[in-house]
Amino acid sequence: MSLRWKQAEAPVGPAERGDPVSSGFSDQLVAVLPRLRRFARGLAGSASEADDLVQAACERALAREHQFQEGTRFDSWMFRIVQTIWIDQLRARDVRKEGGDVEEERMGSDAAVRSVEARLALAEVRRAVQRLPAEQRNVLMLVTVEGLSYKEAAEVAGVPVGTIMSRLARARIALQQQLDSGAGVRRSATDAEAQ
């Protein structure tokens, strides 16, 4: 009898019990995946890093399902998780002194002229976005790409609404200046010559 009593008093968590993820939670997670991937791509700058970031965020969300408060925005909660993991990864890179972004854009030679031009323009914008400070890039992705309101973006970033507005304004100005100066075009021409 004493053995049964000791087993009963030991705390058992949801993972140890093998509790399944609630249907509503998993439905919300699946629905937000494309937006998470787009957000992560904007932060990380490459598709493979974005996929890793989204996978880590999903794992964390599933492990911490019990922390999600019903009645709050699920997408904001998930964006916050992605952002937190990304910041942790940046800090870890700084500690390990890792660096260097690998350009993953590969264009096929059989693409139509318009398609090639569109890809070049998109690549130029991506490079310009990646040169923005992390705080500005984060806000730009939340508001302009994900369509969050200033208030929602402020909740995700954990800063006041005024800070969101200021960072977004500075990000837009910096992007415009970079694109107007043609820095991305010069860099792509230099990259082409190096190959």
Side-chain angles (χ1 to χ4, degrees):
M1 283 191 168
S2 63
L3 181 58
R4 286 185 188 163
W5 181 76
K6 287 181 182 177
Q7 287 176 344
E9 81 178 348
V12 179
E16 294 166 340
R17 288 193 304 259
D19 289 350
V21 176
S22 72
S23 173
F25 187 87
S26 61
D27 290 346
Q28 290 182 80
L29 186 58
V30 169
V32 78
L33 282 176
R35 294 177 64 205
L36 288 178
R37 188 167 188 276
R38 195 169 48 231
F39 178 59
R41 175 73 190 257
L43 294 176
S46 78
S48 62
E49 286 184 45
D51 289 342
D52 292 344
L53 190 55
V54 170
Q55 180 178 348
C58 289
E59 289 172 2
R60 186 172 293 179
L62 290 169
R64 298 179 183 178
E65 175 187 5
H66 63 281
Q67 293 179 353
F68 176 68
Q69 297 174 357
E70 290 296 328
T72 61
R73 288 191 52 137
F74 185 80
D75 59 347
S76 294
W77 185 65
M78 287 302 301
F79 286 136
R80 182 67 180 218
I81 291 173
V82 169
Q83 175 185 327
T84 301
I85 292 171
W86 177 66
I87 290 170
D88 291 346
Q89 288 176 353
L90 287 180
R91 288 178 181 153
R93 282 183 195 159
D94 288 344
V95 169
R96 290 190 309 259
K97 304 287 185 208
E98 287 184 4
D101 293 327
V102 177
E103 184 64 35
E104 294 185 354
E105 299 287 328
R106 290 182 173 81
M107 297 186 300
S109 60
D110 59 343
V113 173
R114 283 192 224 173
S115 176
V116 171
E117 289 174 352
R119 286 179 184 232
L120 289 172
L122 181 59
E124 181 180 353
V125 171
R126 281 188 179 146
R127 283 190 295 273
V129 168
Q130 288 304 308
R131 286 191 292 268
L132 291 174
E135 297 83 15
Q136 291 178 13
R137 184 171 58 238
N138 186 21
V139 170
L140 186 71
M141 296 304 297
L142 288 171
V143 175
T144 61
V145 176
E146 294 306 325
L148 295 183
S149 69
Y150 292 157
K151 182 179 177 185
E152 291 164 345
E155 290 172 7
V156 170
V159 297
V161 174
T163 302
I164 292 293
M165 295 168 65
S166 174
R167 287 179 183 173
L168 184 59
R170 288 194 309 267
R172 287 176 172 160
I173 290 168
L175 262 180
Q176 189 64 50
Q177 288 174 343
Q178 286 185 51
L179 295 173
D180 287 347
S181 72
V185 173
R186 283 193 300 275
R187 181 174 170 192
S188 63
T190 304
D191 292 345
E193 290 171 8
Q195 294 177 357

